[in-house]
Amino acid sequence: MIVSVTPELGIDVGRNFAGGLGVLEGDKFYAAARLGVPYTVITLWYPGGYVAYRFENGEAVPVEEGNVEEGLEVVGEGEVAVRGEKVAVAYLAYRLNTATAVFVKVKAPEWAVRAVQQLYISEKEADRFYRYVILAKAAVDYVERYIGWDNVRYLDLQEAYTALVPLVKRHARARIVIHTPAPWGHPAFSKRFFKEEFGFDMAMDPVVLTEVGLAASVEGIVVSKKMVGLVCNAFPHFCHKIRPVTNAVEVPRWEHPKVSRVKSPEELRKAREEVKREALRALGVEAEGKVVISWARRITHYKRPHFVLQLIEDVDRDVVFILGGRAHPQDGYGVEMMKKFKEVANAAANVYYFPQLDIDTIRKIIWATDIWLFTPFSGWEASGTSFMKAGINGVPSVASRDGAVVEAVRDGYNGWLFGEDRPVLLPLDSRDVDEREYAEFKKKVEEALNSYYGGEYWQVAYNAYVTFRQYFSMDRLFRDYHYKE
């Protein structure tokens, strides 16, 4: 049995994810079910989901997204000791073939219920800390009750917040998976929390959870080859443990059935044109006979949503833009970008904005798109998977040289590349870098549009279709994780 513990999980039941990590872990769940791999993924249940927005007088106002338990079954209940009190939990499960998704629903006491109300939304450091203590202790309790540690082949800890699990129960084949090179991927807490909760008088203060996870794990997995150097630079004393397993997507989950077996650029063109019409109609987007360019993902500074806003002003072509994504309510830059996305969509007939990117909407946007935009500030994106989901459908990207892009995309062959391939975290306010790279980005978008109008586009699209379905498939990822041997 593979056991994975994750802060979020995006499957087709409930609304329990914020972005790429949750969707990735959902893809692993579906891949395990398809491949017959015994797999259990454990996460918290957030009654309020993540965050949604309503726009009032031009302002983006955050509200609870809400969540639904339909499709889940209660498989058991338990108690874990946290903060010196008994925390009552119920285990909600969704099963598919050999895969089980387990959601830990906190029932009492009130402070614990409040701590897990919304994903990644909390005002107090204590709430954030105890939220993940509950996840760690409940995950251990579930394994002991329903799986048995002798049956656990690998214990995979997704992101640093799950690094508390080894403080509750050590496992000889625990592995921490680091999903971001950015500083927020390495949360830290005052040592007093560890003294009060676990009785450990930690040597460092504050305690960096990634450090704990790497120390307690047999290896640290990073999600692209490029990330090895970045993580080794941050944690050089653990570099001997770092191994890359580049992210992937579950192809059957993201491909449109009509493109699943095309054998040539011409077959792809015919299939994609039909798929595009269907998706545009479902989204309510008017783009008949026009090129569709899309930027849709979590909105935050390093992903550079300002690039597409500037592009909308600068491109003098008859194209349609689809924008998508939401920001964390405490991310001032991201919330401001949401307002600007909304403003331009209201003002321009050729711009559409979808703030709420649920799984179904993401799929439709990909299927409606001709040119996908992937614009992170090089060095800051761990991997990225949106360009993979587009590519397996034969939708090529104009992409910065970051994350997993550099492993598979060749400029002019299966996509278009711009910018530097930087192995360091330069400051995000490096205006000279942004200006230089925007100029190259705009040039590459023009190149992609010329390719579309000139007919060469469909060979590039087909090359993306073929290469991405091989390299970025979950089948390859499962082999690299040693799930399939």
Side-chain angles (χ1 to χ4, degrees):
M1 172 69 71
I2 310 300
V3 174
S4 179
V5 185
T6 178
E8 56 175 299
L9 180 65
I11 59 175
D12 297 337
V13 177
R15 293 187 289 268
N16 222 69
F17 73 99
L21 172 62
V23 176
L24 173 71
E25 296 311 305
D27 276 16
K28 291 178 184 175
F29 168 83
Y30 287 109
R34 174 176 58 85
L35 297 169
V37 174
Y39 189 88
T40 297
V41 55
I42 305 172
T43 191
L44 288 168
W45 176 256
Y46 305 97
Y50 178 46
V51 64
Y53 287 87
R54 66 173 185 267
F55 288 87
E56 296 180 356
N57 301 318
E59 297 295 320
V61 180
V63 296
E64 283 192 8
E65 180 183 30
N67 215 336
V68 290
E69 296 182 25
E70 185 178 354
L72 302 175
E73 62 172 320
V74 177
V75 296
E77 296 185 346
E79 287 184 342
V80 293
V82 181
R83 220 175 69 173
E85 298 182 47
K86 292 181 178 179
V87 174
V89 299
Y91 299 116
L92 313 180
Y94 176 75
R95 293 188 173 95
L96 186 64
N97 195 13
T98 55
T100 302
V102 177
F103 298 88
V104 178
K105 180 180 180 180
V106 178
K107 300 174 66 178
E110 181 56 35
W111 67 262
V113 174
R114 185 177 62 251
V116 301
Q117 177 63 24
Q118 273 184 277
L119 173 61
Y120 300 140
I121 308 294
S122 57
E123 296 180 0
K124 299 178 180 178
E125 182 184 20
D127 284 345
R128 288 193 297 119
F129 179 78
Y130 287 112
R131 169 189 301 163
Y132 297 110
V133 170
I134 292 169
L135 174 59
K137 292 192 174 184
V140 169
D141 179 68
Y142 183 88
V143 172
E144 290 176 348
R145 286 172 181 264
Y146 302 105
I147 298 174
W149 288 106
D150 290 343
N151 297 318
V152 178
R153 184 181 178 193
Y154 289 110
L155 175 64
D156 286 343
L157 310 173
Q158 310 297 336
E159 283 285 43
Y161 283 123
T162 65
L164 295 171
V165 174
L167 298 184
V168 181
K169 175 70 176 182
R170 297 293 297 271
H171 190 271
R173 301 187 85 176
R175 309 185 295 191
I176 184 167
V177 186
I178 303 171
H179 291 267
T180 176
W184 55 79
H186 312 300
F189 291 96
S190 169
K191 65 180 290 184
R192 69 179 176 85
F193 288 114
F194 296 85
K195 178 69 171 179
E196 293 169 0
E197 183 63 32
F198 300 105
F200 301 139
D201 191 8
M202 307 289 274
M204 68 289 282
D205 192 14
V207 179
V208 179
L209 290 190
T210 306
E211 182 103 11
V212 173
L214 284 168
S217 298
V218 67
E219 66 177 350
I221 293 174
V222 293
V223 295
S224 69
K225 293 178 180 177
K226 182 173 180 175
M227 260 193 83
V228 173
L230 291 162
V231 173
C232 282
N233 185 56
F235 302 96
H237 45 307
F238 290 118
C239 194
H240 62 287
K241 289 187 175 184
I242 304 301
R243 177 171 72 91
V245 177
T246 300
N247 276 347
V249 297
E250 172 61 347
V251 174
R253 189 185 190 195
W254 294 102
E255 70 176 1
H256 193 286
K258 291 179 180 177
V259 304
S260 64
R261 293 182 178 85
V262 298
K263 301 296 184 184
S264 69
E266 181 59 19
E267 286 187 20
L268 177 63
R269 182 188 66 80
K270 291 179 180 178
R272 277 261 323 273
E273 287 176 350
E274 185 177 352
V275 166
K276 178 181 174 180
R277 283 194 298 270
E278 291 178 2
L280 289 171
R281 187 164 52 249
L283 291 168
V285 172
E286 296 290 337
E288 184 68 31
K290 298 179 181 180
V291 177
V292 175
I293 300 175
S294 297
W295 191 104
R297 59 185 47 80
R298 183 169 60 89
I299 298 179
T300 192
H301 197 163
Y302 80 88
K303 294 180 184 287
R304 296 195 291 197
H306 52 279
F307 269 34
V308 70
L309 283 173
Q310 187 63 49
L311 186 71
I312 291 169
E313 292 187 21
D314 292 347
V315 168
D316 188 20
R317 304 283 189 109
D318 190 16
V319 302
V320 169
F321 289 90
I322 297 179
L323 311 177
R326 55 188 169 174
H328 190 285
Q330 294 175 350
D331 181 348
Y333 168 91
V335 173
E336 183 65 23
M337 286 296 106
M338 289 184 67
K339 289 169 55 180
K340 291 183 177 181
F341 275 16
K342 184 67 172 175
E343 288 169 4
V344 72
N346 288 343
N350 68 325
V351 180
Y352 297 81
Y353 175 38
F354 297 87
Q356 200 76 0
L357 288 183
D358 56 73
I359 301 295
D360 192 50
T361 302
I362 296 171
R363 278 193 287 246
K364 287 184 173 66
I365 292 175
I366 290 169
W367 296 339
T369 299
D370 297 302
I371 299 171
W372 192 261
L373 302 182
F374 183 80
T375 56
F377 193 95
S378 183
W380 287 76
E381 183 68 77
S383 169
T385 56
S386 66
F387 76 94
M388 301 178 192
K389 299 178 182 87
I392 64 166
N393 283 283
V395 178
S397 295
V398 175
S400 59
R401 290 177 167 89
D402 206 16
V405 164
V406 296
E407 297 180 35
V409 180
R410 291 162 49 193
D411 186 41
Y413 174 75
N414 57 357
W416 295 271
L417 298 174
F418 72 93
E420 302 173 65
D421 181 5
R422 286 185 294 275
V424 295
L425 291 176
L426 290 184
L428 290 173
D429 58 358
S430 302
R431 178 169 292 184
D432 58 331
V433 174
D434 248 16
E435 290 178 352
R436 183 171 65 251
E437 294 196 343
Y438 176 78
E440 187 178 351
F441 165 69
K442 180 177 177 292
K443 180 180 177 182
K444 287 296 179 179
V445 171
E446 293 284 0
E447 186 178 319
L449 286 169
N450 290 337
S451 171
Y452 188 93
Y453 295 125
E456 302 90 353
Y457 167 91
W458 291 106
Q459 185 62 58
V460 177
Y462 184 70
N463 292 341
Y465 174 86
V466 172
T467 56
F468 279 37
R469 293 166 77 88
Q470 293 175 348
Y471 191 73
F472 292 125
S473 165
M474 274 287 166
D475 296 63
R476 188 269 306 157
L477 180 143
F478 269 42
R479 290 192 297 270
D480 290 352
Y481 266 103
H482 307 313
Y483 291 166
K484 293 173 63 182
E485 292 179 346

